Amino acid sequence: MRIDVITLFPDFIAQCVAFGVTGRAGERQLLSLHGWNPRDYAEGNYRRVDERPFGGGPGMVMLIDPLRAAIAAARAADPAPARIVYLTPQGAPLTQAKVRELATRERVILLCGRYEGVDERLIEAEVDEEVSIGDYVLSGGELAAAVVIDAVARLQEGALSDAESAAQDSFEGGLLDCPHYTRPVEHELGRVPDVLMSGNHAEIARWRRREALGRTWQRRPDLLDEPALSKADHQLLNEYRARFAEVGDDFDG
Ligand code: 6GU
């Protein structure tokens, strides 16, 4: 996959994804990342990329032409057609489903705004979709772009080892992830649930499913489509609820 990022801070994006799984995806050439700075396409001695908004008000708006030239340069660098995604708090919320969809594309161009935003005419002419990473305000799209790149990189075939397999991640089954434990079994902070050391794989899978369902019910009821759950899942969730009613969430068996 190829990702081009239109940003005033290309070095920041490169640094953000230079480590861990995303760094490795780059080294393995599963993902190629290219930054394009609109300032390099701006005119005049001052290389202006922003101006005051018509109608007045605070902040600055990014100019059409430097952005358009940077997008054109990015497009021209590779013949594959690119989807243009603008990172903005006005966008559709980023979900794992959206990440999966973007991850299947051959090419994506991420457009990062700074200041109050980007001239709306540039968005209308060039942008295919607008994406937000949550209901809070960042001072620019760069961190959001790094979030998209990370989430998409780890889904590229070969990016994760078996041990890191994405299949069991939170959200991949529409549920939050179950809790995890490692050595030592006994610690002053508590004991690892016995079932995880039983060697009984069916029981372990059942425990993990119950914890994932229970956590999702407790923490993110908005994600839980109860009517759509299987009979077995209903039973697991009811077990969790019964236990919760009895001992709260510090039960570990
Ligand atoms: Cl994509 N950009 C900015 N500037 N702020 C955000 C955001 C994006 N998503 C949430 N807040």
Side-chain angles (χ1 to χ4, degrees), residues 181-216:
Y181 300 87
T182 186
R183 299 185 306 160
V185 173
E186 297 277 7
H187 189 279
E188 62 176 298
L189 297 185
R191 188 181 155 76
V192 174
D194 287 325
V195 60
L196 297 179
M197 281 127 14
S198 68
N200 183 332
H201 296 295
E203 275 302 308
I204 292 169
R206 188 175 185 283
W207 181 90
R208 287 182 168 155
R209 183 78 186 166
R210 189 181 69 195
E211 297 306 306
L213 286 160
R215 282 189 151 189
T216 309

Side-chain angles (χ1 to χ4, degrees), residues 27 29 76 82 88 91 123 157 163 204 208 215 220 240 249:
E27 285 162 20
Q29 298 180 12
T88 165
I123 299 170
E157 181 90 47
I204 292 169
R208 287 182 168 155
R215 282 189 151 189
R220 292 295 305 276
Y240 187 97
D249 66 358

